[in-house]
Amino acid sequence: MPTQDFVSPDSIRAQFSAAMSAMYKLEVPLYGTLLELVGEINQAVMENNPNIAETLRWTGEIQRLDQERHGAIRVGTAQELATIARLFAVMGMQPVGYYDLTPAGVPVHSTAFRAIHEQFLQVSPFRVFTSLLRLELIDNLPLRELAQSILAKRQIFTPRALLLIEQCEQQGGLNAGDAADFVEQALETFRWHREATVTAAEYRQLHDQHRLIADVVAFKGPHINHLTPRTLDIDAIQAGMPKKGIPPKAVIEGPPPRKYPILLRQTSFKALQERVAFTDQHHQASGSHTARFGEIEQRGAALTPKGRARYDQLLNEARHALGGLPAEDNAEHYMALLANTFKAFPDDLAQMREQGLAFFRYFATEKGLAARNDNARPASLHALIEAGHVHFEALVYEDFLPVSAAGIFQSNLGDGAQSHYGSNANQQAFEQALERPVLDELALYAETERRSLQACATALALPALS
Ligand code: OOG
Ligand code: NI
């Protein structure tokens, strides 16, 4: 089959992201309310802050903002994870980064499936935070075996989805008809199922071990548990949620408010209580389960290893000074501590660049292009910036933060869900289950930065810039 018949993986991802959003709006109506709030606030931010709108125009993010979202799922077995990786690959999504959630008492490790090139991200930045349950950390052997035997019996992919994945792998792509079919079939894996795969007593056993285990094991598939739009002002969202009847979690995860946002700030609202039918209840939905919730994120600059080390250190200092986990009763104190420790992180793009704290994208300006043939023009990056020939903007962070992710997990698992597993990072075991290595997000940011410098040098007819 000639390759020109294939639709691009980016277009399949964009279609899938839209289909997922439509499905989740029907399943969780508060998500729709949240989208309205985010739309209103993003609009207001752009009207009131021409600089922010200008920045988003330079980077092109203004075009992707409205459709920007991430979701999260939790799978139960290595085989499910490996097949999910193949399913996401059809849509141009690769596993990026490794997250160990065990220090926070959640028995999973995770990666984020996403597009990896700035051009592809521009078409659709859709990401899925994907966690693998770690039954090996459960020391209750009979329960572990029960969970394993239940998981061994389920098939979370439709036969047609599996066929289309294989076809795509063998032929190198899907045509428009098959792509539309694939989106519809893939969606089935993420759908909510009211019918559990266990009896009420089994559910209780799994649940009493850890709520997360019940969520992963007791259902037919890895239902999407939240879908997160991107806002330009998360503080306004946090303040605006109660007025729309959406109860937010106590604190915003991540860095404090800044003029120039870094990394990722996130807040969420509590999981829904849903009716479920256990296998011994003859399909009358008389049980209940809390699984699905809503989340909002604000994205900022991707940090270099040096910047990230500074972030981790300052976050730790604030949490250490708090002397416990951030919660309802110490939220204000925590935000004050955070604001205080983060004074040590410059809130200025030029300083962040000069100190090597963040990654950037560089653009040749009109002035620079006009001076292309002028032999007396500056040639170093710094001098070109000073002369207004090159403009720079922070490169947006496309990934997740383990401490924040733990806070999001906990906010919807409930406070009683805190368990202790110590630190059990095992990237090798994760990659073995995944059947491929995860990509290093820092290398991806460095490549994007390098490509933008190259494009700048070419546009200005200069030798390489660095
Ligand atoms: C995933 C929680 C983590 C985020 O945005 O950090 C997450 C989950 O609850 O399955 O989605
Ligand atoms: Ni999330």
Side-chain angles (χ1 to χ4, degrees), residues 70-72 129 225-228 264 266 293 295-297 299 400 405 408:
H70 82 254
F129 190 90
N225 67 47
H226 65 282
L227 214 48
T228 303
L264 178 63
Q266 299 166 295
F293 60 102
E295 186 196 40
I296 312 89
E297 63 183 20
R299 292 190 172 266
F400 295 86
I408 298 292

mmCIF file of all heavy atoms in Angstrom, residues 70-72 129 225-228 264 266 293 295-297 299 400 405 408, ligand 2:
data_model
loop_
_atom_site.group_PDB
_atom_site.id
_atom_site.type_symbol
_atom_site.label_atom_id
_atom_site.label_comp_id
_atom_site.label_asym_id
_atom_site.label_seq_id
_atom_site.Cartn_x
_atom_site.Cartn_y
_atom_site.Cartn_z
ATOM 1 N N HIS A 70 -4.274 16.188 29.295
ATOM 2 C CA HIS A 70 -3.690 14.871 29.537
ATOM 3 C C HIS A 70 -4.691 14.020 30.290
ATOM 4 O O HIS A 70 -5.581 14.531 30.955
ATOM 5 C CB HIS A 70 -2.357 14.953 30.285
ATOM 6 C CG HIS A 70 -2.478 15.091 31.778
ATOM 7 N ND1 HIS A 70 -2.223 16.273 32.447
ATOM 8 C CD2 HIS A 70 -2.820 14.196 32.748
ATOM 9 C CE1 HIS A 70 -2.413 16.087 33.751
ATOM 10 N NE2 HIS A 70 -2.772 14.841 33.969
ATOM 11 N N GLY A 71 -4.538 12.707 30.164
ATOM 12 C CA GLY A 71 -5.371 11.781 30.905
ATOM 13 C C GLY A 71 -4.497 10.843 31.714
ATOM 14 O O GLY A 71 -3.270 10.914 31.632
ATOM 15 N N ALA A 72 -5.131 9.981 32.515
ATOM 16 C CA ALA A 72 -4.357 8.989 33.262
ATOM 17 C C ALA A 72 -5.105 7.665 33.326
ATOM 18 O O ALA A 72 -6.329 7.638 33.433
ATOM 19 C CB ALA A 72 -4.057 9.487 34.670
ATOM 20 N N PHE A 129 -0.700 9.749 31.319
ATOM 21 C CA PHE A 129 0.092 9.268 32.450
ATOM 22 C C PHE A 129 -0.364 7.835 32.721
ATOM 23 O O PHE A 129 -1.530 7.606 33.023
ATOM 24 C CB PHE A 129 -0.154 10.168 33.665
ATOM 25 C CG PHE A 129 0.789 9.928 34.814
ATOM 26 C CD1 PHE A 129 1.985 10.636 34.892
ATOM 27 C CD2 PHE A 129 0.486 9.019 35.811
ATOM 28 C CE1 PHE A 129 2.866 10.434 35.953
ATOM 29 C CE2 PHE A 129 1.366 8.812 36.877
ATOM 30 C CZ PHE A 129 2.556 9.530 36.950
ATOM 31 N N ASN A 225 -9.149 7.861 34.236
ATOM 32 C CA ASN A 225 -9.609 8.332 35.551
ATOM 33 C C ASN A 225 -9.644 9.846 35.698
ATOM 34 O O ASN A 225 -10.217 10.369 36.650
ATOM 35 C CB ASN A 225 -8.847 7.641 36.694
ATOM 36 C CG ASN A 225 -7.377 8.026 36.746
ATOM 37 O OD1 ASN A 225 -7.026 9.197 36.669
ATOM 38 N ND2 ASN A 225 -6.513 7.029 36.880
ATOM 39 N N HIS A 226 -9.011 10.565 34.802
ATOM 40 C CA HIS A 226 -9.218 12.017 34.707
ATOM 41 C C HIS A 226 -8.692 12.520 33.378
ATOM 42 O O HIS A 226 -7.907 11.853 32.718
ATOM 43 C CB HIS A 226 -8.569 12.781 35.860
ATOM 44 C CG HIS A 226 -7.062 12.710 35.913
ATOM 45 N ND1 HIS A 226 -6.387 11.626 36.389
ATOM 46 C CD2 HIS A 226 -6.117 13.602 35.563
ATOM 47 C CE1 HIS A 226 -5.080 11.845 36.344
ATOM 48 N NE2 HIS A 226 -4.879 13.041 35.825
ATOM 49 N N LEU A 227 -9.165 13.694 33.009
ATOM 50 C CA LEU A 227 -8.736 14.343 31.779
ATOM 51 C C LEU A 227 -8.522 15.806 32.167
ATOM 52 O O LEU A 227 -9.411 16.433 32.736
ATOM 53 C CB LEU A 227 -9.839 14.203 30.725
ATOM 54 C CG LEU A 227 -9.439 14.063 29.277
ATOM 55 C CD1 LEU A 227 -8.349 13.033 29.068
ATOM 56 C CD2 LEU A 227 -10.638 13.691 28.432
ATOM 57 N N THR A 228 -7.336 16.299 31.865
ATOM 58 C CA THR A 228 -6.890 17.560 32.457
ATOM 59 C C THR A 228 -6.645 18.645 31.424
ATOM 60 O O THR A 228 -5.711 18.530 30.632
ATOM 61 C CB THR A 228 -5.573 17.294 33.227
ATOM 62 O OG1 THR A 228 -5.819 16.278 34.183
ATOM 63 C CG2 THR A 228 -5.058 18.534 33.906
ATOM 64 N N LEU A 264 5.279 22.607 36.302
ATOM 65 C CA LEU A 264 3.870 22.237 36.235
ATOM 66 C C LEU A 264 3.216 22.510 37.573
ATOM 67 O O LEU A 264 3.760 22.148 38.618
ATOM 68 C CB LEU A 264 3.838 20.734 35.918
ATOM 69 C CG LEU A 264 2.520 20.013 35.827
ATOM 70 C CD1 LEU A 264 1.679 20.572 34.690
ATOM 71 C CD2 LEU A 264 2.778 18.522 35.587
ATOM 72 N N GLN A 266 -0.615 21.931 39.473
ATOM 73 C CA GLN A 266 -1.835 21.135 39.255
ATOM 74 C C GLN A 266 -2.759 21.173 40.454
ATOM 75 O O GLN A 266 -2.305 21.183 41.595
ATOM 76 C CB GLN A 266 -1.462 19.651 39.033
ATOM 77 C CG GLN A 266 -0.599 19.391 37.834
ATOM 78 C CD GLN A 266 -0.004 17.997 37.864
ATOM 79 O OE1 GLN A 266 0.788 17.676 38.730
ATOM 80 N NE2 GLN A 266 -0.402 17.168 36.909
ATOM 81 N N PHE A 293 -12.042 11.540 38.587
ATOM 82 C CA PHE A 293 -11.985 12.887 39.148
ATOM 83 C C PHE A 293 -11.620 13.868 38.042
ATOM 84 O O PHE A 293 -11.552 13.505 36.871
ATOM 85 C CB PHE A 293 -10.986 12.921 40.309
ATOM 86 C CG PHE A 293 -9.576 12.545 39.971
ATOM 87 C CD1 PHE A 293 -8.606 13.517 39.801
ATOM 88 C CD2 PHE A 293 -9.212 11.210 39.817
ATOM 89 C CE1 PHE A 293 -7.289 13.179 39.507
ATOM 90 C CE2 PHE A 293 -7.893 10.861 39.512
ATOM 91 C CZ PHE A 293 -6.942 11.846 39.359
ATOM 92 N N GLU A 295 -9.006 17.321 36.969
ATOM 93 C CA GLU A 295 -7.733 17.947 37.291
ATOM 94 C C GLU A 295 -7.494 19.084 36.304
ATOM 95 O O GLU A 295 -8.013 19.054 35.186
ATOM 96 C CB GLU A 295 -6.622 16.890 37.185
ATOM 97 C CG GLU A 295 -5.251 17.365 37.638
ATOM 98 C CD GLU A 295 -4.148 16.436 37.165
ATOM 99 O OE1 GLU A 295 -4.219 15.955 36.026
ATOM 100 O OE2 GLU A 295 -3.211 16.215 37.930
ATOM 101 N N ILE A 296 -6.727 20.078 36.748
ATOM 102 C CA ILE A 296 -6.382 21.229 35.915
ATOM 103 C C ILE A 296 -4.897 21.447 36.071
ATOM 104 O O ILE A 296 -4.352 21.256 37.157
ATOM 105 C CB ILE A 296 -7.104 22.520 36.370
ATOM 106 C CG1 ILE A 296 -8.577 22.251 36.582
ATOM 107 C CG2 ILE A 296 -6.922 23.643 35.350
ATOM 108 C CD1 ILE A 296 -8.907 21.801 37.971
ATOM 109 N N GLU A 297 -4.245 21.865 34.985
ATOM 110 C CA GLU A 297 -2.810 22.097 35.082
ATOM 111 C C GLU A 297 -2.437 23.429 34.455
ATOM 112 O O GLU A 297 -3.122 23.937 33.571
ATOM 113 C CB GLU A 297 -2.042 20.961 34.394
ATOM 114 C CG GLU A 297 -2.317 20.881 32.902
ATOM 115 C CD GLU A 297 -1.612 19.718 32.213
ATOM 116 O OE1 GLU A 297 -1.234 18.768 32.901
ATOM 117 O OE2 GLU A 297 -1.458 19.786 30.985
ATOM 118 N N ARG A 299 1.148 24.955 32.796
ATOM 119 C CA ARG A 299 2.503 24.548 32.423
ATOM 120 C C ARG A 299 3.440 25.737 32.280
ATOM 121 O O ARG A 299 3.028 26.818 31.865
ATOM 122 C CB ARG A 299 2.470 23.725 31.132
ATOM 123 C CG ARG A 299 1.784 22.380 31.364
ATOM 124 C CD ARG A 299 1.891 21.392 30.236
ATOM 125 N NE ARG A 299 1.352 20.129 30.720
ATOM 126 C CZ ARG A 299 2.074 19.142 31.245
ATOM 127 N NH1 ARG A 299 3.385 19.233 31.299
ATOM 128 N NH2 ARG A 299 1.495 18.061 31.708
ATOM 129 N N PHE A 400 5.630 15.309 33.735
ATOM 130 C CA PHE A 400 4.937 15.285 35.023
ATOM 131 C C PHE A 400 5.950 15.382 36.155
ATOM 132 O O PHE A 400 7.160 15.364 35.904
ATOM 133 C CB PHE A 400 4.099 14.002 35.130
ATOM 134 C CG PHE A 400 2.987 13.963 34.128
ATOM 135 C CD1 PHE A 400 3.209 13.490 32.838
ATOM 136 C CD2 PHE A 400 1.735 14.468 34.436
ATOM 137 C CE1 PHE A 400 2.195 13.494 31.895
ATOM 138 C CE2 PHE A 400 0.708 14.471 33.496
ATOM 139 C CZ PHE A 400 0.939 13.978 32.229
ATOM 140 N N ALA A 405 2.366 14.205 41.316
ATOM 141 C CA ALA A 405 1.529 13.066 40.915
ATOM 142 C C ALA A 405 1.057 12.315 42.159
ATOM 143 O O ALA A 405 -0.107 11.916 42.250
ATOM 144 C CB ALA A 405 2.294 12.136 39.978
ATOM 145 N N ILE A 408 -1.760 14.121 43.667
ATOM 146 C CA ILE A 408 -2.989 13.952 42.885
ATOM 147 C C ILE A 408 -3.599 12.571 43.167
ATOM 148 O O ILE A 408 -4.798 12.441 43.416
ATOM 149 C CB ILE A 408 -2.714 14.121 41.371
ATOM 150 C CG1 ILE A 408 -2.198 15.534 41.055
ATOM 151 C CG2 ILE A 408 -3.934 13.777 40.539
ATOM 152 C CD1 ILE A 408 -3.185 16.650 41.227
HETATM 153 NI NI NI B 2 -3.081 14.127 35.895
#
